[in-house]
Amino acid sequence: MDPSASDPTGAVVWHRDQLRIRDQPAVAAATEHADVVLPLFVFDPGFYGDDGLACDARVRFLHECLVDLSDRYDTASGGRARLTYAHGDPTAVLAAAVDAGWTVFAARGPTGRYGLERDAAAADLGVRFVSGDGLRRGVERPRDGWSDHVEAWFEADQHRPSFEGTALTDLDTGVSVEGIEAEYDTDPSKSPVPEGGTTAARETLRSFVERIAEYPGSISSPLDAREGCSGLSPYLTFGCLSTRQVYQYVHEHAPSGRGRDMFVSRLFWNRHYHQKLEDWPGWLDTAVNPELAGFNRDTYDPALVAAWKAGRTGYPMIDAAMRCLEATGWLNFRMRAMAASGYFHLLQQPWRIGADWYHHHLIDSDAAINYTQWQSQAGLIGKPSLRLYNPRKQVRDQDPDGEWIRRWVPELTGLPPEHLPRPELTPPAVQADCGVVIGDGPDADYPRPVVEYEAAKERFWRRYEGPKAAAAARLADEEVARRASFSRGLAGAKAIASKYGEREPTGTQTGLDDF
């Protein structure tokens, strides 16, 4: 990129994951600051190739978002400018822009690992990171009054950039979406995957609002959830719409009732988890509670990890979930939590490997949500209550006829539904009649459980009891309490610590009042 002919009052909008124009704080700031605005996206090699951070289907979704965003800039400029693409180290690209006299704006957002280092390097160059996502920054206790703060942001006016008096421009860098896909041999295999971009996002939102009353009864069953959920999560992850845009559209167009209330609560949860990562970037790498750092490290077994990834654990509900994840890039929340629980609590494997696998394959994976959910589900916060899913019970509760299991574990197609919770107990005569062999030999159609449920569960609880008291005590540490973003701060953490000894989960989700 060589912006040597830039106007002295020129500004670059560095798009990363807020791939929209409206309600995009960096776009609004750039148009207020400069006479000439150049929108830019940098293809970062770190996200591509065999060691890339995203599967090919997620990369393709991103590319579709970029094409749609470029079209929107074309419309906004009256056909005079599109999104400019660059390829390489973003810091080097931005340094060239700054050296040529551009002021670079980017929307501030929570990140960790590589993204944290990248943004710090960009800030050192003088890139202006613009807040506007509803999160609290620069205050000692960001959780104090948080719910009221976010609700006020949801209801506030959106950022509406004006291009009157501002000229949009672009540069011919020779970089294109098609060229990037050819260079990295992008070949998505997942299906069905939604189409990326703000245009598709708006249609998805409109369609969902028409059926929002059915939402509460559709989110738990993996059979119903694909059509019953909003379908908005990948668009929120890539910023095709802001959560505020969705919130305001829902309040304006959706009928009041339980469906609307439940969905709106999910928008608060979205901001809640982003606030967590904003407060402490370590969520992506480090156990929240120091007493639980390295838990399951000593029980690491590559064969068990491989069985979980491949959907060959011998637990049909877990296996269906893992195969669905790899084939489609999607799972509803309950199945994500159940498969994570099976990985961490039953197979007792290190959490980061599982969380990274989800992040690679989920089209909608948002680091702020994926990694905080994994730590919470695993129990690495150290709260006395801990939800351990029973994958056998989930068959009975969520797929009693076995329709979903047979879709993703076709080798069990002939097995009667009553045997699906525990295929290994199917009598040999029944196995022969239905043509399904359960076992560990080369002729078996489906494996026995790689770990026995009751024994594994008890083994986990015995191991967890060891650091449990110390972990509960550490919740009274103000630094740990802030990491975990307890709604009532240190006092709330101490109250939870005082409940040490509670082991059975309540199975309920925190309400909005608890934010």
Side-chain angles (χ1 to χ4, degrees):
M1 178 181 178
D2 180 17
S4 57
S6 69
D7 188 282
T9 60
V12 169
V13 176
W14 176 31
H15 283 279
R16 295 169 303 158
D17 56 2
Q18 300 300 312
L19 303 179
R20 63 182 184 276
I21 295 176
R22 291 186 59 178
D23 207 27
Q24 218 282 22
V27 176
T31 56
E32 292 174 1
H33 169 84
D35 299 321
V36 179
V37 171
L38 183 148
L40 168 71
F41 183 85
V42 182
F43 293 100
D44 190 332
F47 288 81
Y48 292 85
D50 293 339
D51 297 326
L53 300 177
C55 66
D56 280 356
R58 187 151 146 236
V59 167
R60 174 64 58 80
F61 185 90
L62 163 65
H63 291 174
E64 291 171 351
C65 294
L66 295 174
V67 171
D68 184 85
L69 178 62
S70 187
D71 288 343
R72 290 181 175 277
Y73 274 116
D74 183 61
T75 299
S77 68
R80 294 186 299 274
R82 302 184 67 86
L83 183 64
T84 292
Y85 299 121
H87 178 217
D89 178 2
T91 305
V93 173
L94 298 174
V98 171
D99 289 345
W102 296 87
T103 302
V104 181
F105 292 87
R108 184 180 300 278
T111 186
R113 294 188 189 170
Y114 166 74
L116 197 66
E117 297 178 1
R118 175 203 61 199
D119 288 0
D124 288 341
L125 293 173
V127 172
R128 301 186 185 184
F129 288 92
V130 186
S131 295
D133 54 5
L135 304 187
R136 301 191 75 188
R137 298 180 173 91
V139 296
E140 184 177 358
R141 297 182 181 277
R143 303 301 301 189
D144 291 352
W146 184 88
S147 181
D148 291 340
H149 169 84
V150 172
E151 185 172 10
W153 176 79
F154 273 137
E155 295 178 352
D157 291 340
Q158 298 177 23
H159 300 289
R160 298 184 184 276
S162 172
F163 295 107
E164 293 185 10
T166 300
L168 288 168
T169 191
D170 58 21
L171 288 173
D172 183 5
T173 62
V175 179
S176 67
V177 169
E178 296 78 13
I180 292 295
E181 292 204 345
E183 178 167 348
Y184 291 104
D185 193 22
T186 302
D187 184 21
S189 60
K190 290 177 169 47
S191 178
V193 175
E195 180 183 358
T198 296
T199 302
R202 287 180 174 173
E203 174 56 28
T204 301
L205 176 58
R206 183 202 61 76
S207 175
F208 170 64
V209 164
E210 291 181 351
R211 52 186 170 81
I212 198 170
E214 304 167 9
Y215 177 70
S218 304
I219 60 177
S220 292
S221 166
L223 278 170
D224 300 333
R226 184 79 201 221
E227 299 300 325
C229 289
S230 72
L232 290 166
S233 55
Y235 301 109
L236 294 175
T237 294
F238 285 92
C240 303
L241 295 172
S242 69
T243 52
R244 175 161 59 188
Q245 287 177 303
V246 174
Y247 176 95
Q248 293 182 5
Y249 185 91
V250 167
H251 273 281
E252 182 177 350
H253 296 281
S256 60
R258 183 165 176 256
R260 189 176 81 172
D261 292 344
M262 183 177 288
F263 178 73
V264 166
S265 78
R266 267 55 178 183
L267 298 178
F268 275 85
W269 278 105
N270 179 289
R271 296 295 85 195
H272 169 77
Y273 287 114
H274 280 78
Q275 185 71 61
K276 281 178 175 285
L277 186 58
E278 177 67 30
D279 294 347
W280 186 58
W283 278 100
L284 275 59
D285 301 291
T286 308
V288 172
N289 196 309
E291 300 297 331
L292 296 169
F295 197 87
N296 281 352
R297 185 182 298 156
D298 293 342
T299 54
Y300 171 58
D301 185 335
L304 291 179
V305 172
W308 178 78
K309 288 181 177 180
R312 297 283 294 176
T313 68
Y315 291 94
M317 206 66 167
I318 293 177
D319 293 341
M322 297 309 297
R323 297 185 195 185
C324 178
L325 168 66
E326 188 164 11
T328 71
W330 183 87
L331 278 176
N332 67 321
F333 173 78
R334 182 176 289 271
M335 293 302 101
R336 297 185 196 199
M338 178 210 62
S341 175
Y343 174 90
F344 192 83
H345 301 139
L346 296 183
L347 305 188
Q348 297 173 43
Q349 297 305 298
W351 75 278
R352 269 280 308 279
I353 298 172
D356 286 347
W357 185 256
Y358 270 29
H359 189 58
H360 179 81
H361 282 286
L362 286 168
I363 305 301
D364 66 358
S365 185
D366 182 324
I369 297 174
N370 180 60
Y371 290 92
T372 54
Q373 281 287 318
W374 263 87
Q375 289 220 42
S376 298
Q377 178 60 53
L380 297 177
I381 295 174
K383 293 182 181 180
S385 59
L386 178 63
R387 182 157 202 180
L388 194 158
Y389 281 80
N390 182 337
R392 298 168 180 167
K393 183 176 184 295
Q394 291 302 310
V395 177
R396 297 189 291 268
D397 290 350
Q398 305 301 336
D399 193 28
D401 297 327
E403 182 178 349
W404 192 67
I405 287 173
R406 291 190 181 95
R407 180 182 303 173
W408 296 109
V409 191
E411 58 266 41
L412 294 177
T413 295
L415 201 67
E418 61 269 23
H419 294 295
L420 287 175
R422 302 190 68 177
E424 73 277 11
L425 297 185
T426 306
V430 175
Q431 293 186 40
D433 287 344
C434 64
V436 177
V437 178
I438 311 298
D440 301 319
D443 296 329
D445 298 301
Y446 187 72
R448 298 179 185 278
V450 291
V451 296
E452 199 282 319
Y453 175 74
E454 294 296 341
K457 183 178 71 171
E458 288 306 311
R459 185 163 59 251
F460 173 82
W461 282 125
R462 286 196 301 271
R463 294 177 56 241
Y464 197 72
E465 285 291 337
K468 185 177 177 180
R474 287 298 290 270
L475 293 179
D477 184 310
E478 188 165 5
E479 181 180 352
V480 176
R482 287 184 178 180
R483 289 180 185 178
S485 300
F486 287 107
S487 58
R488 291 182 290 131
L490 184 58
K494 288 181 176 178
I496 291 175
S498 70
K499 292 172 62 178
Y500 169 68
E502 177 186 352
R503 185 165 100 171
E504 296 301 319
T506 63
T508 59
Q509 188 179 49
T510 306
L512 284 179
D513 290 344
D514 294 314
F515 282 117

